[in-house]
């Protein structure tokens, strides 16, 4: 597939470059800057982008790229660190800026540069750098400057090398998308109109070929990723796809019923719903530490899944709904980030089960998966659902987990979700849920004193779950949620609303 390759030097914005190109219907992939030339040239490239990065070009062990990429005759755009790298490679001079620049600058653009075609002469751009190019390499022309930086962009049209000190991929840069579009269309001559569905036929054909003689097992959670992935695979191999849904007893009201309605009735999948709720509850008895809950649930899930999948004959593959950001994270030049919470997923399964992986979504971002689901006419309600964590309600019941406390939380959570949907707020929110607190307080109900539990309501807005802000729900909606829960759910007499962002909090309470 024709593409523009992004070589990653560790910038926090590298994924954004990819998101913007995909938005422009340009297919792109991200590889670490250390990727071998043979792998780079094995792709059908129309151009290369060198990302920014935190290093200084003169620092010991600063990341480099195989210099032979400059001899491939492909258009190359260097952004920030990428610009300094081009300068360095071509004999220009990079110096430490007098002060680290972080924030907005006014850029003066050159009309002659194809990158700035259709872009006004003065635009606001986002800068984030400590070094700058002091002297351009021979044969290069300046394409932009700011009042602080004489060379904020340079290029060599003959050699198809282009460089920018600022970040066109960042939302705050005016005409950033237009600049990237100019690079893709006018310089790289990328002509295709890529869409997530472009993958579909090819992916289906590949799965058909790979799984010709064996069955595929899928741990279907009913979330967006595993649902879309399973529909793709069922298109390829039909009844040779075996789906297992583990009912941990920690699901929300309606989750299991929806699984049946969509995957048994509508899609007629081979779907086995395993009721393991008693097992999970017994293993979690008396456990209140969040990390222990997660570990127990992860381990028990794998045991149940493993036992069930052994019953499937001729299994050769395990289907996983891995997305592109997971892949990029694991190959990035950045070091591993600190583990805040151990996430429960089925990552340990393939090794244990000796199955090969099928990952049909591994080059897609979340919103592209939704678009792909839409192109296959999957139910909108399924595609637009909020994320739900693997450990389920267990990490939304603070303290001990009992059947009674699960039931209380399920009722409160259902009321809250129903009201949010009624008010038309469901799609404005990234995630909305209730948390049952081990806090009792005094209330008055009718003429009687009550001494009952507290529910915290958590609604957040987010783009990727990495950072989040609390949703400013209308008071009327908050009031409705509060009064309905208190009057309809026995055992609750107080509702509080969580008004912390992430960071410093996390989205889930445990
Ligand atoms: P936190 O609480 O870390 O959550 O801010 C970020 C996002 O991840 C979801 N989450 C999980 N998803 N398994 C999952 O599949 C997990 O163990 C898990 N823990 C948190 C959370 O709901 C939010 O969307």
């Amino acid at each position: 597939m024709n593409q523009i390759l992004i070589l990653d030097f560790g910038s926090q914005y590298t994924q954004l470059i990819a998101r913007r190109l995909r938005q422009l219907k340009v297919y792109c992939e991200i590889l670490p800057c250390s990727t071998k030339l043979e792998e780079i040239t094995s792709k059908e490239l129309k151009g290369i982008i060198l990302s920014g990065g935190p290093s200084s070009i003169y620092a010991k062990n600063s990341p480099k790229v195989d210099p032979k990429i400059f001899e491939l005759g492909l258009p190359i755009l260097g952004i920030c660190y990428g610009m300094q790298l081009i300068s360095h490679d071509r004999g220009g001079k990079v110096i430490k800026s007098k002060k680290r620049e972080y924030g907005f600058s006014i850029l003066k653009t050159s009309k002659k540069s194809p990158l700035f075609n259709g872009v006004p002469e003065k635009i606001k751009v986002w800068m984030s750098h400590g070094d700058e190019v002091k002297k351009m390499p021979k044969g290069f022309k300046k394409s932009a400057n700011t009042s602080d930086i004489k060379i904020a962009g340079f290029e060599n049209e003959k050699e198809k090398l282009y460089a920018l000190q600022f970040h066109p991929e960042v939302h705050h840069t005016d005409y950033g998308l237009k600049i990237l579009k100019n690079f893709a269309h006018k310089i790289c001559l990328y002509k295709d109109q890529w869409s997530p569905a472009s993958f579909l036929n090819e992916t289906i054909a590949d799965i058909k070929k790979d799984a010709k003689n064996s069955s595929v097992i899928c741990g279907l959670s009913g979330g967006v990723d595993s649902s879309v992935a399973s529909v793709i695979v069922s298109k390829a191999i039909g009844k040779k796809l075996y789906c297992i849904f583990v009912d941990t007893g920690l699901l929300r009201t309606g989750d299991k019923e929806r699984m049946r309605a969509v995957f048994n009735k509508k899609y007629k999948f081979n779907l086995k719903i395993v009721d393991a709720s008693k097992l999970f509850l017994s293993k979690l008895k008396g456990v209140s530490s969040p990390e222990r809950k997660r570990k127990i649930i992860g381990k028990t899930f794998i045991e149940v899944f493993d036992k069930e999948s052994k019953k499937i004959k001729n299994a050769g593959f395990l289907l996983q709904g891995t997305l592109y950001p997971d892949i990029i994270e694991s190959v990035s030049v950045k070091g591993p980030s600190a583990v805040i919470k151990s996430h429960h997923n089925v990552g340990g399964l393939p090794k244990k089960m000796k199955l090969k992986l099928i990952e049909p979504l591994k080059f897609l971002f979340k919103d592209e998966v939704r678009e792909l689901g839409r192109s296959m006419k999957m139910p909108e309600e399924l595609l637009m659902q909020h994320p739900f964590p693997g450990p389920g309600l267990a990490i939304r019941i603070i303290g001990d987990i009992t059947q009674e406390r699960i039931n209380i939380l399920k009722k409160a959570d259902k009321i809250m979700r129903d009201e949010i949907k009624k008010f038309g707020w469901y799609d404005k929110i990234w995630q909305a849920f209730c948390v049952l607190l081990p806090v009792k307080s005094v209330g008055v109900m009718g003429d009687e004193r009550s001494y009952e539990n507290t529910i915290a309501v958590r609604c957040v807005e987010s783009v990727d779950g990495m950072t989040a802000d609390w949703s400013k729900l209308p008071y009327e909606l908050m009031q409705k949620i509060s009064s309905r829960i208190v009057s309809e759910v026995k055992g609750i007499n107080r509702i509080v609303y969580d008004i912390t962002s992430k960071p410093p909090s996390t989205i889930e309470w445990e």
Side-chain angles (χ1 to χ4, degrees):
M1 195 174 316
N2 279 332
Q3 65 169 282
I4 290 181
L5 180 68
I6 301 161
L7 289 173
D8 181 24
F9 292 87
S11 164
Q12 55 176 323
Y13 301 133
T14 304
Q15 276 201 39
L16 263 186
I17 306 174
R19 299 294 304 114
R20 297 280 175 260
L21 288 177
R22 301 256 183 123
Q23 207 178 326
L24 292 165
K25 300 191 184 308
V26 173
Y27 183 65
C28 60
E29 287 179 19
I30 301 175
L31 286 177
C33 57
S34 54
T35 306
K36 294 253 174 341
L37 192 71
E38 302 89 76
E39 188 180 343
I40 293 177
T41 51
S42 69
K43 311 224 170 238
E44 293 169 67
L45 298 185
K46 302 295 283 180
I48 296 177
I49 294 182
L50 309 176
S51 84
S55 303
S56 166
I57 195 82
Y58 293 117
K60 221 170 119 198
N61 301 328
S62 62
K64 299 274 163 32
V65 68
D66 188 329
K68 291 212 178 65
I69 66 158
F70 295 114
E71 292 161 24
L72 297 174
L74 285 167
I76 295 181
L77 170 64
I79 295 175
C80 198
Y81 182 82
M83 171 176 190
Q84 288 141 23
L85 192 87
I86 294 177
S87 171
H88 185 66
D89 185 83
R90 293 288 143 139
K93 190 172 170 202
V94 177
I95 57 156
K96 205 153 211 54
S97 305
K98 283 201 188 85
K99 66 173 197 291
R100 223 194 117 73
E101 205 182 5
Y102 185 81
F104 288 115
S105 280
I106 298 296
L107 187 86
K108 202 161 161 287
T109 63
S110 154
K111 276 219 162 66
K112 289 192 193 119
S113 167
L115 274 182
F116 297 118
N117 193 288
V119 174
E121 212 178 313
K122 277 191 179 162
I123 55 169
K124 211 164 68 178
V125 297
W126 186 259
M127 292 278 190
S128 170
H129 65 103
D131 291 354
E132 66 182 75
V133 174
K134 177 78 178 162
K135 198 168 138 248
M136 282 185 289
K138 253 203 198 120
F140 282 69
K141 270 192 295 196
K142 184 168 88 173
S143 62
N145 67 279
T146 70
S147 56
D148 289 331
I149 303 178
K150 287 215 178 73
I151 308 163
F154 66 59
E155 59 198 37
N156 183 329
E157 249 183 277
K158 213 169 114 220
E159 289 195 57
K160 300 187 211 157
L161 295 178
Y162 297 80
L164 300 171
Q165 183 58 70
F166 62 94
H167 291 271
E169 70 277 23
V170 170
H171 203 64
H172 317 292
T173 292
D174 292 344
Y175 295 88
L177 206 57
K178 175 80 179 152
I179 295 168
L180 290 174
K181 189 173 177 177
N182 284 340
F183 179 66
H185 291 177
K186 295 203 182 319
I187 298 171
C188 298
L189 306 176
Y190 185 96
K191 293 268 185 302
D192 304 346
Q193 285 281 309
W194 180 81
S195 78
S198 329
F199 269 127
L200 202 55
N201 290 341
E202 212 176 300
T203 307
I204 290 176
D206 285 349
I207 298 169
K208 254 188 198 154
K209 201 162 69 195
D210 289 345
K212 201 167 57 194
N213 301 316
S214 47
S215 315
V216 177
I217 302 180
C218 167
L220 188 56
S221 70
V224 180
D225 309 336
S226 66
S227 299
V228 173
S230 66
V231 170
I232 294 174
V233 173
S234 81
K235 280 185 188 294
I237 58 166
K239 293 278 183 192
K240 278 202 299 177
L241 170 69
Y242 290 86
C243 296
I244 299 170
F245 174 74
V246 179
D247 177 4
T248 57
L250 301 161
L251 305 167
R252 292 158 302 184
T253 308
D255 281 351
K256 199 155 69 171
E257 292 70 21
R258 190 178 65 189
M259 288 299 291
R260 284 214 178 92
V262 176
F263 294 104
N264 276 342
K265 292 224 173 80
K266 180 177 161 68
Y267 287 114
K268 310 231 174 334
F269 272 18
N270 269 326
L271 168 67
K272 175 83 187 276
I273 298 182
V274 188
D275 182 357
S277 49
K278 287 211 176 79
L279 178 68
F280 277 87
L281 200 58
S282 70
K283 297 232 174 186
L284 287 166
K285 197 165 174 219
V287 178
S288 57
S289 142
E291 273 305 283
R292 275 202 64 214
K293 282 182 188 171
R294 284 172 177 274
K295 293 264 157 65
I296 291 170
I297 293 169
K299 202 164 157 273
T300 312
F301 183 92
I302 290 181
E303 277 166 27
V304 174
F305 192 87
D306 195 30
K307 188 169 156 208
E308 203 52 46
S309 54
K310 285 211 174 92
K311 298 179 190 162
I312 295 163
K313 294 210 176 76
N314 201 21
F317 294 87
L318 180 75
L319 172 60
Q320 283 197 326
T322 319
L323 300 190
Y324 199 39
D326 308 326
I327 306 254
I328 305 168
E329 290 295 310
S330 60
V331 298
S332 160
V333 292
K334 280 172 269 177
S337 50
V339 175
I340 312 286
K341 295 174 187 178
S342 51
H343 275 203
H344 149 65
N345 51 37
V346 287
L349 280 171
K351 238 191 239 154
K352 191 170 157 65
M353 296 166 62
K354 299 196 181 71
L355 293 174
K356 280 184 237 150
L357 278 185
I358 290 189
E359 298 172 296
L361 310 177
K362 71 176 175 193
F363 287 115
L364 299 182
F365 290 94
K366 188 87 175 185
D367 55 333
E368 294 172 341
V369 172
R370 293 199 162 105
E371 200 183 319
L372 184 56
R374 233 164 253 140
S375 76
M376 296 190 292
K377 307 224 168 2
M378 291 180 65
E380 195 61 21
E381 192 207 335
L382 190 85
L383 298 175
M384 292 310 289
Q385 65 180 307
H386 292 172
F388 184 63
L393 300 182
I395 55 168
R396 295 175 179 174
I397 295 175
I398 312 302
D400 287 3
I401 298 163
T402 60
Q403 190 58 57
E404 192 196 350
R405 300 189 82 209
I406 295 174
N407 294 346
I408 290 179
L409 182 58
K410 272 170 115 172
K411 277 190 199 144
D413 195 72
K414 164 97 171 53
I415 292 173
M416 184 223 45
R417 277 185 296 139
D418 285 351
E419 286 303 326
I420 283 178
K421 281 183 185 161
K422 260 197 233 158
F423 265 73
W425 267 71
Y426 188 82
D427 290 341
K428 295 184 197 169
I429 296 174
W430 163 268
Q431 223 168 342
F433 56 91
C434 289
V435 183
L436 178 59
L437 308 186
V439 174
K440 285 195 167 192
S441 68
V442 175
V444 48
M445 278 198 179
D447 288 334
E448 295 207 10
R449 175 188 189 270
S450 67
Y451 187 56
E452 302 284 10
N453 288 291
T454 310
I455 283 278
V457 176
R458 177 89 163 133
C459 297
V460 294
E461 282 156 29
S462 175
V463 179
D464 50 14
M466 304 293 282
T467 60
D469 197 8
W470 57 281
S471 303
K472 317 301 182 280
L473 296 187
Y475 284 159
E476 208 188 328
L477 169 56
M478 287 186 169
Q479 197 218 321
K480 187 83 192 188
I481 292 171
S482 165
S483 64
R484 270 199 64 196
I485 294 179
V486 169
S487 62
E488 294 175 37
V489 184
K490 210 164 157 274
I492 300 296
N493 70 348
R494 194 173 295 273
I495 311 292
V496 294
Y497 190 60
D498 183 345
I499 53 164
T500 33
S501 58
K502 172 182 178 177
S505 291
T506 51
I507 296 177
E508 303 289 347
W509 276 43
E510 289 196 333

